[in-house]
């Protein structure tokens, strides 16, 4: 009896495969395809040793504190040339109320071949009493040439100084133990004095003892007719903090000195540092949840910031709506010398792609670039411009996952676990959403949050690590280069003579200026990227504009990482 | 006992017959939709679709409910099913190509939008078809093509705020800033609470380095956002508890203050029904009707205010103004 049905099922399966195959946007379309290398994104999590589940709250996700944790950081803590991974986890309301330790922070040492071992005990990470950790921000904070670790938390943030591979808590001594709800943060040489300052995004006031409940005055905790966790609306936003590095291991709040006293409190979630007006100074772009974003332009002469997001079109969406800004990244897509910016948002909103024009304005271009419609049903967090296929055009990775478990119900036009997405860069600043069918690492729905980008296997292409809420992370290997095969690349790391040893903020470009990238580790959502940059193609020389303003040309070798030292170029 | 049993059987048979009657199903669904209760309409219509296999209109109604709830792909699927059954509905389902576009099915939207654009039945349909074609081009990054279609849409129907707005955006992309501003202002003439247009006017003036105009429009944008937020809050509250007359009055006043007279008519009418003796809401109701071009109903309402409250000068002025315009208003029906 079952045979006809089996036959029918088989025919149906073949037909549906045919249908899917026909609709697969990943097939080489005849128009506008360049000699593009085939690349595959493969899930390498099994057997990688990354067994730590980044837990935050319970599976019910009843409180806003539970939904925003779990960023991921890349750092080479032991200076062996391989990127290690820092994973952070949250806590539970009960633990936080009783002042008990959270789920902790773990450091995984890269053993090569995408295998990792947990070295949290040996490095002193396990000795720390962690709270509700949110973001691992890795940088050479003390300027001694190795990576330190700053962890933002709901509660006091922690600064761990790296001493020959062992970490010691120096939060108080450095003055960086801010008590707010720290989310993303970015180290950058803001005042141009050669050392790293810090911009810290703070989110909102949350009282573990009295969390907001539906029905409390000021709270309407409904979404699409479903009862969901309350906030952020109704909860008081917190002020972001900008710290100046005073030298000798001491930071101080520079908000007043740098003219940020009038900056309103906001639900800050993402920040990137960069020179967004090409005046040689370090600016900051801040993504705020449910509020207008900030563009903080630093004037080196007056040593003051000016908030100018409204002035240049970076405050809200194209339709004039404040969106749920989460993750950020920047890259010069249109080759005008000014970086363009991507900002991830809530489901039902598009992820903004702000393209600069030569007059210094930004136009929201997600629709015309082809990234708008694909992002409507997703809730985006971690994000990065990566040239996955090494064709010279930036692609876009977005980590997705909803905040409400109720999103899994029918009728919400979205889902709780979601697919992560890759948009492949094409000609004319257009992007095409990549199909999951050919990329196993994109074919599984997860509740993703932070994502960090870096060459984890040192093969010249950029891999991805994505954090998933209450789950293991996903380690994604980019297979465009296999050994010596595949498209050529130029890898660059920068070494500055100042205390900003890794040259954060340096702009690396081809000599003709057509391709450029900023050395920027703190981007995406609550995450730290690789400090190296990768360019597709073969060039004999690269130009570096150092944060000091000095410009140098360096000879480079293809298919390897070139360490460019300030002062050693022409 | 037998009689009761018989009655029960009869009732359930009749009921079942009703539930299988497409006309009854559509009426009931429309009642849900009129109350903005789309979720119940969706579950009712979904079940009806399982029972009634050959009615396209029911599926179109279901599609409209999905569309209203921003469930684009489900809306597209329902519209598709409806049109498959009832081909004559064809290009009349204006939301179908929009649902396809928002589901990122651009190529599939094109033939349908084209059939709308070439439909000879009315200008508005043609305008909608061209607007959708413009939107497809916009999402494909073909700005010039998008401009062509948005302009074409406006040639068929100049009163489409969304086409003026999209044309404005496209012109800004082509750096035709002054022309873009003109389109945004037209959008605001037609829809005074279009915050996106106000935002883009401010932004465009900034690009022109006209700081004064930019700040005026930025202030107007902030004002509109405030109003829009309040309108959403009121509507949410009214969905939970519909008879809060103070909120209905506030909603009407916001619409009125922003020149959205057609939108103000319904809430003012509810205020008049709740308090027939009060002159103010009836006067504003009449004024809204008058400003929307419904002079006959406006006169009927304002005449009642004049009769009952002869000292209410604003009503008298409006009454005389209407009489000046329309001399041959038919006598009131009792």
């Amino acid at each position: 009896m079952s045979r006809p049905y089996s036959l029918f099922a088989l025919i149906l399966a073949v037909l549906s495969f045919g249908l899917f195959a026909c609709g697969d946007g990943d097939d080489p379309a005849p128009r506008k395809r360049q000699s593009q290398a085939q690349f595959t994104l493969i899930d390498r999590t099994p057997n990688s040793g990354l067994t730590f589940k980044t837990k935050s709250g319970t599976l019910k996700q009843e409180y806003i504190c539970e939904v925003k944790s779990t960023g991921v950081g890349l750092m080479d803590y032991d200076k062996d040339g391989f990127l290690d991974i820092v994973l952070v986890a949250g806590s539970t309301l009960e633990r936080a109320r009783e002042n008990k330790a959270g789920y902790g922070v773990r450091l995984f040492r890269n053993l090569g071949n995408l295998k990792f071992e947990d070295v949290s005990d040996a490095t002193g990470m396990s000795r720390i009493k962690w709270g509700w950790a949110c973001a691992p921000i890795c940088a050479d904070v003390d300027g001694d040439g190795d990576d330190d670790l700053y962890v933002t938390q709901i509660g006091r943030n922690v600064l761990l100084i790296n001493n020959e591979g062992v970490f010691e808590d120096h939060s108080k001594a450095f003055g960086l133990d801010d008590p707010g709800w720290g989310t993303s943060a970015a180290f950058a040489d803001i005042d141009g004095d050669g050392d790293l300052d810090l911009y810290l995004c703070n989110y909102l006031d949350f009282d573990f003892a009295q969390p907001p409940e539906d029905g409390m005055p000021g709270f309407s905790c409904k979404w699409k007719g479903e009862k969901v966790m309350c906030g952020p609306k109704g909860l008081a936003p917190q002020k972001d903090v900008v710290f100046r590095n005073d030298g000798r291991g001491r930071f101080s709040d520079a908000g007043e000195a740098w003219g940020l006293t009038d900056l309103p409190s906001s639900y800050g979630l993402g920040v990137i540092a960069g020179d967004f007006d090409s005046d040689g100074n370090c600016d900051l772009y801040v993504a705020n949840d449910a509020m207008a974003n900030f563009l903080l332009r630093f004037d080196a002469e007056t040593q003051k910031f000016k908030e100018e997001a409204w002035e240049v079109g970076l405050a809200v969406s194209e339709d004039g709506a404040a969106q749920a800004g989460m993750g950020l990244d920047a890259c010069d897509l249109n080759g005008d010398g000014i970086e363009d910016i991507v900002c991830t948002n809530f489901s039902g909103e598009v992820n903004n792609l702000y393209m600069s024009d030569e007059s210094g304005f930004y136009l929201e271009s997600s629709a015309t670039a082809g990234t708008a419609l694909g992002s409507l049903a997703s809730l985006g967090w971690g994000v990065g411009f990566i040239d996955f296929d090494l064709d010279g055009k930036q692609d876009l990775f977005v980590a997705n996952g909803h905040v409400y478990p109720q999103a899994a119900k029918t009728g919400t036009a979205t889902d709780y676990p979601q697919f992560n997405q890759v948009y492949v860069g094409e000609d004319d600043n257009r992007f095409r959403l990549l199909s999951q069918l050919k990329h196993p690492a994109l074919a599984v729905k997860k509740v993703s949050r932070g994502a960090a980008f870096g060459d984890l296997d040192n093969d010249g292409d950029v891999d991805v690590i994505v954090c998933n809420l209450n789950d293991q992370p996903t380690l994604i290997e980019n297979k465009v280069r296999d050994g010596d095969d595949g498209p050529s690349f130029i890898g660059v790391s920068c070494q500055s003579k100042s205390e900003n040893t890794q040259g954060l903020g340096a702009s690396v470009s081809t000599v003709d200026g057509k391709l450029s990238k900023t050395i920027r580790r703190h981007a995406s959502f609550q995450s730290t990227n690789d400090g190296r940059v990768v360019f597709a193609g073969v060039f004999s020389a690269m130009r570096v504009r150092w944060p000091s303003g000095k410009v140098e040309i360096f000879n480079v070798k293809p298919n390897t990482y070139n360490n460019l030292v300030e002062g050693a170029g022409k | 006992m037998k009689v009761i049993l018989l009655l029960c059987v009869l009732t359930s048979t009749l009921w079942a017959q009703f539930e299988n009657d497409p006309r009854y199903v559509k009426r009931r669904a429309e009642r849900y939709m009129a109350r903005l209760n789309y979720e119940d309409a969706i579950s009712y219509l979904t079940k009806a679709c399982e029972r009634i296999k050959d009615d396209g209109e029911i599926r179109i109604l279901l599609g409209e409910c999905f569309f209203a709830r921003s469930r684009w792909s489900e809306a597209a699927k329902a519209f598709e099913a409806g049109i498959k059954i009832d081909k004559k509905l064809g290009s009349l389902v204006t939301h179908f190509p929009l649902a396809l576009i928002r589901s990122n099915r651009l190529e599939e939207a094109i033939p349908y939008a084209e059939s709308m654009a070439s439909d000879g039945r009315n200008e508005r349909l043609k305008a909608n078809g061209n607007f959708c074609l413009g939107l497809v081009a916009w999402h494909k990054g073909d700005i010039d093509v998008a401009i062509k279609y948005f302009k074409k849409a406006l040639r068929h129907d100049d009163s489409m705020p969304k086409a003026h707005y999209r044309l404005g955006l496209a012109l800004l992309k082509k750096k035709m800033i002054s022309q873009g501003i003109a389109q945004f202002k037209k959008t605001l003439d037609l829809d005074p609470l279009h915050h996106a247009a106000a935002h883009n006017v401010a932004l465009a003036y900034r690009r022109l380095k006209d700081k004064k105009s930019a700040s005026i429009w930025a202030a107007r944008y902030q004002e509109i956002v405030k109003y829009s937020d309040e309108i959403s809050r009121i509507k949410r509250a009214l969905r939970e508890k519909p008879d809060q007359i103070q909120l209905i009055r506030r909603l009407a006043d916001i619409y009125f203050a922003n020149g959205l007279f057609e939108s103000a008519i319904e809430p003012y009418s509810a205020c008049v029904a709740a308090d027939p003796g009060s002159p103010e809401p009836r006067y504003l109701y009449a004024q809204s009707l008058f400003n929307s071009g419904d002079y006959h109903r406006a006169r009927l309402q304002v005449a009642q205010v004049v009769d009952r409250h002869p000292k209410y000068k604003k009503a008298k002025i409006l009454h005389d103004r209407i009489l000046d315009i329309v001399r041959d208003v038919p006598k009131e029906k009792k």
Side-chain angles (χ1 to χ4, degrees), chain A residues 205-480:
Chain A
D205 286 337
F206 187 86
D207 185 354
F208 290 119
Q210 268 192 318
E213 304 270 2
D214 190 24
M216 278 180 164
F219 290 100
S220 171
C221 312
K222 290 254 166 56
W223 173 77
K224 301 206 172 189
E226 294 289 334
K227 193 180 159 194
V228 295
M229 61 96 179
C230 305
K233 282 190 177 161
L235 292 161
Q238 288 184 340
K239 256 188 143 25
D240 294 351
V241 189
V242 61
F243 293 96
R244 177 172 50 204
N245 190 336
D246 298 328
R248 293 189 295 276
R250 189 72 206 163
F251 285 74
S252 62
D253 185 340
E256 201 180 332
W258 286 349
L260 289 181
T261 322
D262 294 336
L263 191 72
S265 301
S266 62
Y267 301 125
L269 284 179
V271 57
I272 45 170
D275 182 4
F276 299 115
D277 49 7
S278 281
D279 65 351
N281 297 323
C282 176
D283 309 310
L284 295 157
Y285 184 59
V286 181
N288 292 316
D289 190 2
M291 289 177 167
N293 295 343
F294 300 145
L295 173 67
L296 303 173
R297 280 182 166 164
F298 195 74
D299 184 336
E301 267 184 37
T302 60
Q303 291 278 300
K304 301 266 186 223
F305 277 110
K306 209 171 166 196
E307 203 290 291
E308 292 194 333
W310 287 102
E311 304 301 314
V312 300
L314 281 172
V316 290
S317 73
E318 181 177 66
D319 289 346
Q323 297 188 281
M326 322 263 189
L328 293 171
D329 199 18
C331 184
D332 182 10
L333 297 172
N334 53 9
D336 64 353
I338 300 175
E339 289 192 299
D340 309 296
I341 296 172
V342 64
C343 176
T344 53
N345 290 309
F346 209 77
S347 61
E349 300 172 343
V350 303
N351 292 334
N352 305 126
L353 181 60
Y354 296 104
M355 299 276 254
S356 62
D357 70 6
E358 63 276 11
S359 60
F361 281 88
Y362 283 84
L363 283 180
E364 215 283 283
S365 303
S366 53
T368 47
T371 60
L373 296 172
S375 68
L376 262 181
S378 309
L379 197 163
W381 300 88
V383 64
F385 286 116
I386 308 297
D387 185 359
F388 282 112
D389 49 4
L390 289 172
D391 67 346
K393 292 186 277 276
Q394 296 299 313
D395 311 308
L396 183 65
F397 183 97
V398 186
N400 295 313
H402 217 281
V403 291
Y404 304 134
Q406 294 83 349
K409 293 188 178 178
T410 45
T412 61
T414 180
D415 203 352
Y416 183 47
Q418 299 180 351
F419 292 118
N420 293 328
Q421 293 171 314
V422 172
Y423 295 85
V424 179
E426 297 190 316
D427 291 334
D428 307 324
N429 302 314
R430 288 277 301 165
F431 290 87
R432 172 178 51 91
L433 183 59
L434 199 68
S435 155
Q436 284 98 11
L437 294 178
K438 288 182 183 169
H439 299 271
L442 302 177
V444 185
K445 284 185 174 184
K446 299 254 182 187
V447 186
S448 296
R449 293 289 185 263
F453 307 91
D455 187 355
L456 289 160
D457 48 7
N458 284 341
D459 64 351
D461 53 36
V462 179
D463 311 296
V464 189
I465 170 112
V466 184
C467 264
N468 304 306
L469 200 65
N470 292 313
D471 201 349
Q472 275 178 267
T474 309
L475 176 63
I476 301 174
E477 183 191 7
N478 176 16
K479 237 176 162 29
V480 64

Side-chain angles (χ1 to χ4, degrees), chain B residues 96-315:
Chain B
F96 180 37
L98 283 175
L100 287 170
I101 292 168
R102 286 172 195 171
S103 316
N104 207 4
R105 293 164 65 185
L106 296 180
E107 295 301 330
E108 292 165 74
I110 294 172
Y112 199 81
E114 278 172 345
S115 78
M116 276 165 66
S118 59
D119 193 302
R121 273 177 276 191
N122 70 58
E123 288 297 291
R124 190 158 276 191
L125 210 57
K126 284 182 188 171
N128 267 307
N130 280 297
F131 174 76
C132 290
L133 289 169
L135 215 52
V136 170
W138 174 254
H139 282 287
K140 287 172 135 191
D142 296 333
I143 314 286
D144 291 323
V145 179
I147 288 174
K148 186 187 93 182
Y149 280 119
F150 292 144
K151 281 185 174 170
K152 223 169 162 183
L154 289 167
R155 274 204 294 277
H156 290 294
D157 180 2
D158 194 32
S159 64
M160 270 179 104
K162 59 184 180 183
H164 283 294
Y165 172 65
R166 288 279 160 195
L167 178 58
L169 287 180
L171 290 167
L172 283 197
K173 283 263 191 299
K174 299 296 287 180
K175 295 183 183 153
M176 297 159 80
I177 300 170
S178 302
Q179 293 94 320
I181 290 174
Q183 290 304 321
F184 295 135
K185 286 185 176 172
K186 278 183 189 164
T187 312
L188 284 157
D189 286 344
L190 295 164
D191 179 359
L193 288 183
H194 202 295
H195 67 272
H199 166 65
N200 277 289
V201 179
L203 209 59
Y205 276 124
R206 283 192 191 114
R207 287 180 79 181
L208 290 176
K209 303 202 187 311
D210 180 348
K211 283 188 180 173
K212 196 178 164 195
S213 304
S215 70
I216 290 169
W217 281 97
R220 175 62 189 148
Y221 159 74
Q222 296 290 358
E223 196 179 36
I224 293 174
V225 168
K226 256 188 217 161
Y227 278 133
S228 304
D229 285 351
E230 194 179 353
I231 288 171
S232 314
R233 270 201 309 276
I234 292 173
K235 281 186 173 173
R236 255 200 317 272
L238 289 175
R239 264 203 295 276
E240 305 248 312
K241 206 174 159 201
D243 52 355
Q244 302 178 74
I245 208 68
Q246 275 180 326
L247 287 183
I248 295 173
R249 173 66 193 270
R250 175 70 190 143
L251 187 66
D253 287 346
I254 292 174
Y255 286 139
F256 190 89
N258 285 284
L260 289 163
F261 302 110
E262 279 183 37
S263 305
I265 290 172
E266 199 187 314
Y268 276 135
S269 155
C271 296
V272 168
D275 185 7
S278 179
E280 180 84 0
R282 195 182 289 276
Y283 161 73
L284 291 167
Y285 178 37
Q287 184 77 61
S288 302
L289 289 164
F290 174 76
N291 291 352
S292 306
D294 191 344
Y295 304 133
H296 176 57
R297 279 166 71 206
R299 198 196 72 85
L300 294 181
Q301 291 301 324
V302 80
Q304 289 190 46
V305 183
V306 172
D307 286 351
R308 289 179 201 172
H309 307 274
K311 286 183 182 168
Y312 200 91
K313 281 185 183 168
K314 284 190 287 185

